[in-house]
Amino acid sequence: MSSPLSPLGPLRVRLLPMFPLGILEGGLEVQCLKTCQSLGGAGIDAQLLDYYRRDDRFDLLHLFGSTENYYDICQQVAGRWPIVISAVTGAPSAAWWRGPIWSSVSRLAAKAKLPTSYSRMRSVYHLAAAVICLNQLEADFLARTYGLPRERIRIISNGVDDRNFQAEPRLFVEKYGISDFVLYTGNIVQRKNPVNLAEALSRMGLPGLFIGRRVAAEWDYGERFAAIVDRSPKLHWIEGLAHDDPLLASAYAGAKIFCLPSTSETQSLSALEAMAAGAPILLGDYPYARQSPFESALRCDPLNSASIEMALARVMAEPDRYRHQLPQTYRWNQVAARIADLYHEICDR
């Protein structure tokens, strides 16, 4: 695969998601695919890295996700090609004490020749020419926890398809016959709290639409969710709606409220898409929900049913008060242009 930077032609970039695309489709995987697709319009030869092509020549490697499994890859790549990482860490905390404690434990482990997850992840970040963060929360987390120099951190948001900015409810309403629902999109996993939301909607008698798949690692949680939907006539669940399906954008446009009562996100792609389509959004009251562009969103305690119900009632009563249009700078062509500028800066071309 080794190749010097090509003096002519577009910059050749290979992208690698954290999970194989046939195993998991979440926000990170969608972000990787959409970045790859959109970079062509910014003059970049971008393709997913092909593990099985020995002659796959490129100028820069872009990794998506934060996993110590990248450690061996980065050890092989460093010094041969520049590395860019889209972190998508979840940014659990930027507390000052986290980094020193993890670092101290790792130093003790190193004396016993026992590498830790922290030490391997720190090495991955420090081998990168640049780390892309989705917001300031994530940037602070990486700088304080892993000692990553601020000059190597770039804040570039997720992108949103043009179809979401132009979406209308008609397509979805004609196919499914439901409208003015509370919408949830995302995998059926505990950190996103669809069970709590479904229970709140059922008690309130509000129509709810859930679009998302069960995940093998949390199958029991998915079964709990399915049981609530089965006994609640106003709740609807669609499994397997592809991210690029026009029906998904239409569902955002038809929603009375978009609700993601998650306890852990970096920057929710689904919330961005809902905003682009004009839906009011309700998020979990956690640091990610106070980052741009969600500052004006209504928030609730995802672990408290009464808090979810009170927040839903407020939005239902005054939906326009919580409807905020997503800026045009979140369109994929503008996001891809910023990423392409970073590539060129790193490769000095």
Side-chain angles (χ1 to χ4, degrees):
M1 287 189 293
S2 61
S3 169
L5 294 179
S6 54
L8 300 174
L11 198 64
R12 301 166 302 189
V13 177
R14 297 298 176 262
L15 298 87
L16 183 65
M18 189 164 71
F19 289 103
L21 297 171
I23 292 177
L24 182 66
E25 183 186 17
L28 185 147
E29 289 71 36
V30 169
Q31 181 186 354
C32 178
L33 285 174
K34 292 302 301 182
T35 301
C36 190
Q37 294 167 9
S38 303
L39 283 168
I44 301 293
D45 172 9
Q47 301 176 36
L48 296 178
L49 180 67
D50 189 338
Y51 268 94
Y52 302 103
R53 280 185 56 199
R54 300 182 69 177
D55 61 342
D56 188 10
R57 298 177 180 274
F58 56 88
D59 303 314
L60 181 147
L61 179 64
H62 189 161
L63 305 174
F64 282 76
S66 294
T67 171
E68 62 179 290
N69 294 333
Y70 284 148
Y71 176 82
D72 291 329
I73 291 175
C74 289
Q75 292 291 324
Q76 294 297 321
V77 170
R80 299 174 68 188
W81 302 281
I83 301 169
V84 170
I85 299 174
S86 285
V88 197
T89 61
S93 170
W96 66 268
W97 48 263
R98 184 183 295 271
I101 290 176
W102 286 0
S103 181
S104 297
V105 171
S106 290
R107 282 197 297 270
L108 291 172
K111 291 181 180 180
K113 297 183 179 181
L114 296 172
T116 64
S117 295
Y118 172 82
S119 65
R120 289 167 67 88
M121 197 66 248
R122 190 179 194 279
S123 177
V124 167
Y125 287 134
H126 281 260
L127 287 172
V131 177
I132 296 175
C133 293
L134 294 172
N135 50 35
Q136 191 61 51
L137 174 69
E138 187 173 51
D140 290 342
F141 171 73
L142 291 180
R144 295 175 184 173
T145 304
Y146 293 97
L148 190 62
R150 294 276 182 176
E151 59 270 19
R152 270 197 251 167
I153 298 174
R154 299 300 172 86
I155 297 177
I156 303 176
S157 72
N158 265 320
V160 176
D161 279 332
D162 288 350
R163 71 167 66 91
N164 292 96
F165 287 91
Q166 303 157 2
E168 296 182 355
R170 178 182 55 82
L171 185 67
F172 187 87
V173 173
E174 287 180 354
K175 182 172 179 62
Y176 290 99
I178 55 174
S179 60
D180 292 333
F181 43 79
V182 177
L183 175 65
Y184 166 98
T185 64
N187 289 326
I188 308 301
V189 294
Q190 190 164 0
R191 71 175 176 85
K192 291 180 179 287
N193 274 303
V195 163
N196 288 358
L197 176 59
E199 289 176 337
L201 292 171
S202 182
R203 283 192 297 269
M204 298 175 75
L206 293 176
L209 172 64
F210 294 81
I211 301 176
R213 295 182 176 89
R214 280 179 275 202
V215 174
E218 297 191 37
W219 198 259
D220 289 345
Y221 184 84
E223 290 294 289
R224 284 178 56 200
F225 170 77
I228 298 169
V229 173
D230 286 344
R231 67 171 185 260
S232 305
K234 289 191 175 182
L235 299 187
H236 308 271
W237 181 20
I238 300 174
E239 293 190 73
L241 197 60
H243 179 264
D244 58 356
D245 193 323
L247 284 168
L248 180 58
S250 182
Y252 284 125
K256 187 82 169 183
I257 308 168
F258 171 80
C259 183
L260 180 69
S262 180
T263 60
S264 176
E265 299 285 339
T266 304
Q267 183 190 66
S268 167
L269 179 56
S270 57
L272 293 178
E273 291 171 338
M275 285 184 69
I281 62 172
L282 170 60
L283 303 175
D285 192 7
Y286 283 80
Y288 75 87
R290 302 186 188 97
Q291 298 292 299
S292 181
F294 305 134
E295 302 96 331
S296 299
L298 187 62
R299 296 181 286 270
C300 65
D301 179 356
L303 305 179
N304 184 308
S305 297
S307 177
I308 296 175
E309 293 176 25
M310 288 175 61
L312 286 170
R314 287 177 63 183
V315 182
M316 292 293 288
E318 298 181 276
D320 289 341
R321 179 180 177 182
Y322 301 102
R323 198 186 314 274
H324 302 281
Q325 185 62 45
L326 187 70
Q328 298 293 308
T329 52
Y330 286 84
R331 287 181 182 267
W332 259 117
N333 63 332
Q334 297 195 40
V335 172
R338 292 195 290 275
I339 296 173
D341 287 344
L342 175 60
Y343 291 162
H344 284 290
E345 178 185 330
I346 290 170
C347 295
D348 195 25
R349 295 179 60 189

